Amino acid sequence: MSDALVEEIRARADLLEVVGEHVQLRRSGKSYRGPCPLHGGDGPNFAVDPQRQIFKCFVCGEGGDVFGFLMKHLGFEFPEAVRHVGARVGIEVPDREERREDPHAPLRGVLAFAAEWFQGRLREPAGARARAYLEGRGLPLEEALEFGLGYADDEWRAFRAAAARHGIEEGALLQLGLLATSEKAEEPYDRFRGRLMFTIQDLRDRPIGFGGRVLDPNSDAPKYINSPESPVFRKGEELYALNRARHAMRREGHAAVAEGFTDVIALHRAGLEFAVAGLGTAFTADQARQLARYAKRAYLLYDSDTAGLRATFRTGDILLTAGVHPLVVSLPPGEDPDSLIRREGAAALRHLMDDAVDLLERKLQILGREGYLDRVEGRRRAVDGLLSTLRAVADPALRDIYVDRAVEGLGIRRDTLVHEIARAERPRIRRPPAGPGPGRPDDSPPVESRTERAFLLLIVRDPSLTRRAVRTGLSPRHLRDRWGREIFEILSAACDEGVDAEDVDWSSASGPARARLTALQEAGEEIPDPDGVFEAAVSRLLYRRHRERLAEIDRELELADSEQQRRLLSEKQELARKLRDAGEAAAFMPRQGAGRPGFADRPGGAPTGLPG
């Protein structure tokens, strides 16, 4: 079995989970301790480090990784241990004589040919401009080739012709995005033309896609383009140079996330071999989970302009959700890691990394610098600017530290901030499909919920029900659908004036509200028990906020201090009593001990450079 396959299985394995099936472990600082199963000890001398994915007994001296544990404890041979762990993480390791065929092997062969062809063109006269560009950046040809760089000819069908000479079918080239089509072109043409090429590899060092940088400074084409998604390439799941960086990331305990290919190469050449980059799209949760397998801290090396700050904070929040602690490196204006290393050397960048600031701390610095903490309105917006980070952090201890620091920096009460963090975003109104539909113009979204739709259907068909709803305490503010509120308001006013149902004046209704009314009037569905449905809908709408507040309280309890917990539990008991009295509790009380839900951003504006 290849080293790359073994490494992929090791990377996906959770040593803590494997050992936990054989030893009762308790958290002790950054590690977990328990009695050693290898020599039969009783004391907590056996330690598992989940960050480094290693174990160690401080009595018998045994230690190692997940494979070593199974070999020492269960007597597995190494191949058996690898297969056992592989089965746990969903990677099959076939016997040599039973090796299964890769269904994408033909596509991988095409990608390997393309990588070799691009590298060959970089060596040849056609690649002179690309070589000059690399020399200007201080990157020798042999090092460039070692990093998988190449060149795509500035011709429409040079690569296509080369592939045809090797018997490669155009269908595979189109499927992999190496060729493109256009209504203006009679035949497929090379997607990458006149570009410096970067080979994107998977953890087994196999080419899965390419990135291309345009070399003509006067070109109107995008500066960078990447391969489109294919059966072997998912942009949102891959990180550039992770195959090279993962060992250093595990060894150092941290990663560096840069914005581009050249930055990553410059960092690796400078000895910072734990650097990776995204692939032309916003950093994703899948990429964060990939990174979290190897490191629990990440230095963010993005530009310092407004766009760079937004990308920094967005990526930082995603990393926090994956359990990775992000640190922001403040690069000089106009500099990126590549330019800084070329101008001032690797030591300058290392110095900036030594001065890196925690993500939340960096936000507070910017808020203070821009004056948001000096005035009441600014403080309100500052809270909004911090909420995405406070809601994202997954580590309970770090979340508590963040809350304390935010309270100190914002100058607000802890229970107020805890309440803001815990507030769940209102369910979003689903947008209509493109184009107007019967009785629904473009600017008229559908009714938000089935409960509100049922209620509106009933009062439109029988406006006298509106009076009953109002007598129970229901008002338009209980509805979240804008046009539904408007219909309810008009019917409520008509009832107050004693107007008969057939005489309700709809002339004051807005166009979208009239369209909504028409759609409700023309709806053909039957309601078998209209009286029962009406009572249930009114009750649900009346007590909807009670149920939502109960869910908020459960989230607030996770962050509250002891005094706030007492107040919250008292409020929870009172809300539960009201729901029970209304007959709502059994159906709608939230489960206790449920997992922590994800927090959504609070709508509204946020300071420059900070996500709202």
Side-chain angles (χ1 to χ4, degrees):
M1 59 187 72
S2 70
D3 290 342
L5 177 60
V6 173
E7 177 57 29
E8 183 176 4
I9 294 172
R10 180 187 286 113
R12 292 195 187 185
D14 185 343
L15 176 62
L16 189 63
E17 179 183 336
V18 173
V19 174
E21 294 180 354
H22 305 273
V23 185
Q24 186 172 359
L25 298 170
R26 294 183 181 277
R27 189 180 185 92
S28 177
K30 294 183 178 180
S31 65
Y32 287 78
R33 296 291 191 96
C36 178
L38 305 181
H39 78 275
D42 296 324
N45 300 305
F46 183 88
V48 175
D49 185 334
Q51 179 171 327
R52 299 167 64 194
Q53 289 290 299
I54 60 174
F55 72 90
K56 175 72 175 179
C57 177
F58 298 100
V59 174
C60 68
E62 293 287 358
D65 61 4
V66 64
F67 304 132
F69 176 79
L70 293 172
M71 292 165 67
K72 290 178 172 68
H73 183 52
L74 299 180
F76 286 174
E77 294 294 328
F78 180 73
E80 186 180 7
V82 174
R83 288 191 177 92
H84 179 82
V85 179
R88 293 178 66 103
V89 300
I91 299 177
E92 183 175 351
V93 183
D95 293 331
R96 185 180 300 275
E97 63 273 16
E98 296 176 354
R99 196 173 296 276
R100 296 174 62 183
E101 287 194 16
D102 180 356
H104 302 309
L107 296 180
R108 297 191 192 282
V110 174
L111 288 164
F113 166 80
E116 185 177 343
W117 191 81
F118 290 137
Q119 290 183 45
R121 301 305 288 170
L122 183 61
R123 294 189 189 96
E124 296 169 10
R129 175 186 285 184
R131 293 196 301 274
Y133 172 84
L134 294 173
E135 289 170 6
R137 287 180 169 261
L139 182 58
L141 175 61
E142 291 309 314
E143 284 194 57
L145 293 171
E146 182 185 340
F147 278 98
L149 271 66
Y151 175 68
D153 287 37
D154 194 9
E155 298 179 20
W156 282 96
R157 294 178 177 85
F159 173 74
R160 177 183 180 228
R165 288 194 296 270
H166 284 75
I168 297 175
E169 296 182 358
E170 284 191 357
L173 299 174
L174 289 165
Q175 189 175 13
L176 293 168
L178 290 164
L179 297 185
T181 59
S182 169
E183 294 179 357
K184 299 179 180 179
E186 294 182 0
E187 297 179 348
Y189 54 89
D190 296 354
R191 179 183 296 274
F192 299 101
R193 303 181 307 281
R195 291 179 179 270
L196 180 67
M197 299 298 293
F198 299 83
T199 303
I200 302 165
Q201 297 175 316
D202 64 12
L203 290 177
R204 300 191 197 181
D205 301 328
R206 301 175 299 186
I208 55 175
F210 299 93
R213 186 196 192 283
V214 71
L215 291 173
D216 183 357
N218 300 316
S219 174
D220 294 331
K223 184 176 180 181
Y224 281 97
I225 59 172
N226 290 328
S227 295
E229 300 218 340
S230 74
V232 297
F233 181 48
R234 299 286 185 269
K235 284 183 192 177
E237 298 176 6
E238 304 292 342
L239 289 166
Y240 179 67
L242 182 61
N243 59 312
R244 290 175 169 269
R246 65 188 189 277
H247 299 299
M249 288 164 60
R250 192 187 296 278
R251 182 175 64 249
E252 301 288 341
H254 55 247
V257 181
E259 289 190 88
F261 301 127
T262 55
D263 289 332
V264 170
I265 292 173
L267 289 163
H268 279 248
R269 295 182 67 223
L272 304 172
E273 297 176 337
F274 43 78
V276 295
L279 295 172
T281 56
F283 204 81
T284 69
D286 285 332
Q287 290 170 330
R289 284 190 287 270
Q290 281 267 46
L291 190 148
R293 293 172 180 168
Y294 305 96
K296 294 304 178 186
R297 285 189 302 149
Y299 292 93
L300 302 182
L301 294 162
Y302 289 16
D303 292 346
S304 296
D305 57 13
T306 298
L309 284 173
R310 289 188 183 278
T312 295
F313 296 135
R314 183 171 56 246
T315 299
D317 289 346
I318 292 170
L319 288 170
L320 282 170
T321 302
V324 179
H325 186 186
L327 302 169
V328 181
V329 179
S330 297
L331 297 172
E335 297 278 13
D336 55 37
D338 178 40
S339 65
L340 183 64
I341 290 171
R342 283 188 285 114
R343 188 169 60 84
E344 298 186 20
L349 185 58
R350 288 182 180 274
H351 179 71
L352 291 177
M353 292 177 67
D354 290 339
D355 292 335
V357 177
D358 169 84
L359 183 75
L360 183 75
E361 197 67 41
R362 184 67 177 128
K363 282 192 172 185
L364 287 168
Q365 287 178 356
I366 293 174
L367 291 168
R369 184 187 69 198
E370 296 188 1
Y372 284 93
L373 305 182
D374 299 334
R375 57 189 189 276
V376 173
E377 179 186 357
R379 285 178 184 270
R380 171 65 263 184
R381 296 183 65 193
V383 172
D384 296 339
L386 297 184
L387 282 178
S388 65
T389 295
L390 294 171
R391 287 168 171 163
V393 61
D395 180 83
L398 183 60
R399 188 166 73 247
D400 201 53
I401 293 169
Y402 270 20
V403 171
D404 284 342
R405 181 66 187 96
V407 167
E408 176 188 353
L410 295 170
I412 63 175
R413 293 185 304 153
R414 182 185 173 97
D415 55 351
T416 300
L417 184 60
V418 166
H419 177 66
E420 286 292 317
I421 296 170
R423 287 179 61 185
E425 185 182 33
R426 301 292 188 189
R428 295 183 183 273
I429 296 176
R430 290 173 294 175
R431 295 296 174 189
R440 190 185 68 214
D442 285 332
D443 60 348
S444 176
V447 178
E448 180 185 76
S449 70
R450 286 182 295 176
T451 300
E452 289 193 16
R453 176 176 173 76
F455 173 74
L456 290 169
L457 269 173
L458 289 167
I459 63 173
V460 165
R461 291 175 179 178
D462 183 2
S464 65
L465 291 174
T466 307
R467 187 174 288 106
R468 282 177 56 189
V470 171
R471 280 201 299 265
T472 64
L474 196 69
S475 68
R477 67 182 176 84
H478 288 99
L479 273 63
R480 291 183 181 150
D481 170 44
R482 175 181 175 183
W483 316 122
R485 283 200 305 272
E486 191 173 343
I487 292 170
F488 189 18
E489 286 170 354
I490 292 173
L491 287 174
S492 298
C495 289
D496 289 343
E497 296 170 4
V499 176
D500 293 335
E502 61 273 12
D503 297 327
V504 174
D505 182 9
W506 295 101
S507 61
S508 63
S510 64
R514 284 197 296 271
R516 174 63 44 74
L517 175 67
T518 300
L520 291 168
Q521 289 172 334
E522 295 177 354
E525 62 250 55
E526 294 184 7
I527 301 179
D529 179 17
D531 196 59
V533 171
F534 175 79
E535 294 291 343
V538 169
S539 181
R540 286 217 66 183
L541 294 173
L542 273 173
Y543 292 98
R544 174 162 55 187
R545 181 55 192 148
H546 290 64
R547 296 189 297 276
E548 291 171 348
R549 178 58 187 149
L550 281 172
E552 288 177 7
I553 289 173
D554 284 340
R555 290 191 290 273
E556 289 181 44
L557 285 169
E558 297 180 13
L559 299 171
D561 56 26
S562 57
E563 178 58 33
Q564 188 181 1
Q565 284 181 348
R566 284 194 291 271
R567 293 197 300 269
L568 288 170
L569 288 172
S570 176
E571 182 185 355
K572 184 175 181 178
Q573 290 173 351
E574 178 61 19
L575 287 170
R577 182 191 63 77
K578 290 180 178 178
L579 285 172
R580 282 195 301 270
D581 292 347
E584 288 281 304
F588 302 116
M589 283 289 287
R591 295 196 312 270
Q592 300 300 313
R596 176 175 177 260
F599 292 114
D601 290 346
R602 182 183 189 276
T608 302
L610 300 182

